[in-house]
Amino acid sequence: GAFAARPDRVFLAGDVLKARVLKAVDALPADGAPASLSIVVETDLDWGAVTAPLRAGLAETAWADRVTLVPADTDEPAADRVIHVQLESKPTSATVRVQVDDASEAVARVAWLAVLPPVLAIVTAIILRRVVLCLSLGIVAGGIVAVWPSDANPLWGVWHAFYDYLIVQSVCDPFRLQIVAFVFLICSTVGIAQAAGGIRGILDVVTRFCRTARAARVGAVVAGLLLFFDDYLNCIIVGTTMRPLTDRFRVSREKLAYIVDSTAAPVAGLAVVSTWIAFEISQIGIGLTDAGIDVAPYDMFIRTLPYRFYCVFALGLVLMICWLGRDFGPMCKAEQDAANGTFNGDGSPETEADLNVPPRARNAIIPIGTTIAFAFLCLWWTAREGMAGEAAPAGVMDFIRLVLKHANSAKAFAMAGAIGLAVTLVFIGGQRILPARRIASAIVEATRNIALAVVILFLAWSIGAACKDVGTATYLVAMFRQVLNPVVFATVVFILSCLIAFSTGTSYGTMAILLPNVVPLAWAVGERSDLGGLMMATMSIGAVLDGAIFGDHCSPISDTTILSAVSSRCNPIEHVRTQLPYAVVAMGVALVVGYIPVAMGLPPVIPLAAGLVVLWVVVRVVGKPVIVGASPAMEQATASDTLAATRLDSEILVTPD
């Protein structure tokens, strides 16, 4: 499709021009004595249209009042620094040559091969099921594609992939190091709590209420809904704390990973107060400004909530699956294996090694509760400096929004994880129920179990950097940009957002690429239709946010997908295989029952209700219940035999013994 398509040449060239020139401008020292900058652009396209994105980007740099942008066929103005740019556009590619003063020329090209890294990684991961190898292939492919226009030596591409993508943009990135630190710290805290009998104590309390597999599954969903404010925190805490309970009731690791993933990004994306909201509002604000729409960004976000069909349907589907106890696709086999006592994840069902330690729920509640409490406090601590320049908040909700707007969530969670681990060491050590050597071994065991997953996480971030470098998202947007039919516009935007997010594994990156471009375009399309510009823009923003979350939810190279598998002790590829049918069903219903009818003028409440009914019918008709003791021969049993068999959900109580 990328090879055969004809992208919007002006958009593709303009976006590539902006990205490469701004990269060169950012490398110039802007401090010290005032200096002037001249940028000379040569292009065979409409000069004004192609350079418009670059002019907007330069206005936000430190050179804003000292830069001059001129065409190559005019006299160059006198300037201290000069950047010469040659832009070559072809039907399926855009090539930019940038030369700063007398330095060597840098060449960058975005062409149809931009889709190769994510496609190669995703397809080979699904086929080979060796995620480290497949992600590495995608990263190397990105490095070769990126350097090919200037150096056809593939070895240089391999070095570029290793050094720039993996080392510089992943391993040495402060935000990502803080996320990894939080993962290790919270897993260490949970490991100590488990060794101290805390998890067993919680299970003894919860078991009084969760007496069936259905209750365990629904309890995991409720836990995910309660931790709505951040997807990373949700993935780690819900998976690690609920896994022993779901293991006890023979719920598969794949099902737990699906529950964790489905209550992470979809919930955080819908929440009016979360760590996502500041980024979402900032990107919406850019699009509203470019389109000249006089609506507050947060107000526009609230307006989009009725059009968030995928998030609503994904949450509705996971609740139906857990309550009805029916599954379809590869999840059926995973649930059947777990019901028969065979877990396909990392290791055997959760066991407590220190059985001589008395079960005490407080040994888990206090460490984990301390971590969560300090997560809120540290969010405020990291936001203090940014809040100093804001007006005094009008109320509690306004205060929370300001905190989340200016907070550094990764730093805050890393700090909270460190404090939580310190409190755990003091609290558990003070009880003298575990020797120091056993506490140390609990930390080692907990962190060793996620070491491979952290490697995968770094590789996922690296392939995201590769996709950005070769222009994967830019090329996909340029391909679909010319679809201007009002009825199908929001639908195409939703599909495009899903495709970009699934290919790159990043919802934030998808929002950053699409929202500034989609909002002005949606306004222009809506003005020529019965829906109106504001309605089309609102619906399209919801479609972008929904599609971005779909990719974050189920892409095999998404960080939250991997974190969900890690915390649930599930193989990441098996998690993707078993979850993908559910995500695709929710996405398909959102597309057919949601966005298309709304684009035709139907109020969103009707598609929301109709979509939930359709999902219930799909689960009842297509889904199959889990049968205890089922063998391959039993799967051929008649309907009467199936009804007569013992069902795990309603009749089996797995006791601690």
Side-chain angles (χ1 to χ4, degrees):
F3 175 75
R6 290 295 180 265
D8 185 331
R9 293 179 63 181
V10 172
F11 172 82
L12 181 63
D15 202 76
V16 176
L17 175 68
K18 173 186 174 182
R20 302 304 169 175
V21 173
L22 288 182
K23 182 178 180 180
V25 170
D26 289 340
L28 297 176
D31 300 329
S36 57
L37 173 65
S38 177
I39 301 177
V40 183
V41 179
E42 177 185 350
T43 178
D44 54 349
L45 298 175
D46 184 338
W47 191 89
V50 168
T51 58
L54 176 58
R55 287 196 298 271
L58 289 171
E60 300 178 1
T61 67
W63 294 87
D65 56 348
R66 294 175 286 162
V67 63
T68 304
L69 190 63
V70 296
D73 55 359
T74 61
D75 295 335
E76 294 185 17
D80 299 310
R81 309 297 299 269
V82 179
I83 298 178
H84 289 90
V85 183
Q86 183 180 5
L87 176 61
E88 179 185 354
S89 175
K90 293 184 178 181
T92 58
S93 68
T95 304
V96 176
R97 304 177 187 275
V98 180
Q99 184 179 23
V100 180
D101 297 330
D102 297 325
S104 58
E105 187 179 69
V107 184
R109 177 180 299 143
V110 173
W112 65 272
L113 282 175
V115 303
L116 179 62
V119 168
L120 180 63
I122 292 170
V123 172
T124 54
I126 294 174
I127 295 174
L128 301 179
R129 302 187 188 180
R130 296 183 180 274
V131 66
V132 172
L133 172 63
C134 301
L135 286 174
S136 301
L137 289 175
I139 295 167
V140 170
I144 295 174
V145 170
V147 305
W148 192 265
S150 57
D151 191 338
N153 186 351
L155 293 179
W156 175 242
V158 174
W159 169 252
H160 179 71
F162 171 76
Y163 178 74
D164 191 53
Y165 301 156
L166 180 61
I167 302 301
V168 175
Q169 300 193 51
S170 296
V171 175
C172 295
D173 182 84
F175 178 87
R176 287 161 180 171
L177 285 177
Q178 289 162 353
I179 290 295
V180 171
F182 171 67
V183 171
F184 277 119
L185 290 168
I186 191 66
C187 286
S188 299
T189 298
V190 173
I192 296 173
Q194 179 180 334
I199 301 297
R200 190 149 46 95
I202 289 180
L203 293 180
D204 289 346
V205 175
V206 174
T207 303
R208 302 172 189 172
F209 306 97
C210 294
R211 304 186 65 83
T212 64
R214 171 189 290 173
R217 293 192 302 262
V218 174
V221 173
V222 172
L225 294 176
L226 292 176
L227 293 175
F228 61 87
F229 54 89
D230 185 77
D231 54 337
Y232 288 142
L233 193 69
N234 187 311
C235 288
I236 295 299
I237 289 184
V238 175
T240 53
T241 55
M242 296 302 295
R243 184 181 65 247
L245 179 65
T246 54
D247 279 355
R248 176 176 293 188
F249 288 105
R250 297 184 181 180
V251 176
S252 67
R253 302 277 178 81
E254 292 87 344
K255 174 61 70 64
L256 176 60
Y258 164 58
I259 294 172
V260 171
D261 214 355
S262 297
T263 55
V267 174
L270 283 176
V272 296
V273 176
S274 72
T275 54
W276 282 50
I277 193 68
F279 181 83
E280 290 173 319
I281 288 176
S282 66
Q283 297 304 309
I284 292 173
I286 294 173
L288 293 177
T289 301
D290 292 344
I293 302 175
D294 187 19
V295 177
Y298 189 78
D299 183 26
M300 178 59 81
F301 173 80
I302 298 298
R303 290 170 183 253
T304 66
L305 292 180
Y307 301 95
R308 305 293 295 278
F309 298 110
Y310 175 75
C311 289
V312 174
F313 293 161
L315 292 172
L317 182 59
V318 71
L319 277 169
M320 294 175 193
I321 291 291
C322 292
W323 182 261
L324 296 176
R326 291 174 173 269
D327 293 284
F328 53 87
M331 188 70 78
C332 284
K333 183 179 184 303
E335 282 290 277
Q336 191 65 68
D337 290 345
N340 293 330
T342 303
F343 284 77
N344 300 322
D346 177 17
S348 60
E350 203 72 39
T351 59
E352 194 71 59
D354 302 283
L355 294 178
N356 58 328
V357 176
R360 297 174 181 175
R362 64 177 181 271
N363 286 350
I365 293 175
I366 290 179
I368 296 173
T370 299
T371 303
I372 296 175
F374 272 96
F376 284 107
L377 183 61
C378 292
L379 282 172
W380 167 78
W381 181 265
T382 60
R384 291 179 307 132
E385 184 176 349
M387 293 173 64
E390 298 276 1
V396 175
M397 293 299 295
D398 193 31
F399 173 78
I400 294 175
R401 285 196 297 268
L402 285 177
V403 169
L404 294 177
K405 175 182 178 182
H406 296 285
N408 183 335
S409 59
K411 182 178 180 180
F413 292 148
M415 292 168 60
I419 295 171
L421 179 58
V423 170
T424 303
L425 291 172
V426 173
F427 181 69
I428 301 299
Q431 298 180 49
R432 301 184 181 276
I433 57 176
L434 290 176
R437 179 176 296 181
R438 179 64 187 99
I439 293 177
S441 66
I443 294 176
V444 172
E445 290 170 8
T447 54
R448 183 177 56 194
N449 288 331
I450 64 169
L452 177 60
V454 170
V455 172
I456 297 173
L457 197 57
F458 277 122
L459 292 176
W461 285 326
S462 300
I463 199 170
C467 291
K468 181 179 180 181
D469 195 26
V470 302
T472 302
T474 298
Y475 196 85
L476 291 174
V477 172
M479 281 200 304
F480 288 93
R481 187 177 164 83
Q482 301 192 40
V483 181
L484 299 179
N485 189 312
V487 175
V488 300
F489 181 80
T491 302
V492 171
V493 166
F494 176 66
I495 295 174
L496 177 59
S497 183
C498 290
L499 180 61
I500 292 174
F502 189 84
S503 300
T504 61
T506 167
S507 55
Y508 277 21
T510 302
M511 296 175 196
I513 286 291
L514 286 182
L515 284 175
N517 299 294
V518 163
V519 177
L521 192 60
W523 176 268
V525 172
E527 286 291 279
R528 301 194 301 268
S529 70
D530 295 335
L531 290 174
L534 183 60
M535 180 63 70
M536 180 63 74
T538 302
M539 192 187 336
S540 299
I541 292 172
V544 170
L545 299 178
D546 251 15
I549 287 175
F550 167 81
D552 189 83
H553 182 197
C554 63
S555 173
I557 59 176
S558 165
D559 48 7
T560 51
T561 299
I562 295 170
L563 284 175
S564 300
V566 170
S567 64
S568 305
R569 299 276 183 90
C570 172
N571 182 284
I573 297 301
E574 290 303 313
H575 170 43
V576 173
R577 285 184 64 250
T578 52
Q579 175 178 256
L580 194 58
Y582 298 136
V584 170
V585 166
M587 189 266 284
V589 174
L591 186 65
V592 176
V593 184
Y595 287 106
I596 293 178
V598 166
M600 295 179 178
L602 204 63
V605 65
I606 298 177
L608 283 172
L612 293 174
V613 171
V614 170
L615 290 175
W616 185 85
V617 172
V618 169
V619 174
R620 290 293 299 179
V621 174
V622 180
K624 299 177 182 178
V626 177
I627 311 300
V628 176
S631 63
M634 286 184 65
E635 294 180 1
Q636 306 298 325
T638 62
S640 59
D641 293 333
T642 301
L643 292 174
T646 304
R647 296 189 180 184
L648 178 67
D649 276 338
S650 58
E651 299 181 22
I652 293 297
L653 170 61
V654 183
T655 66
D657 295 333

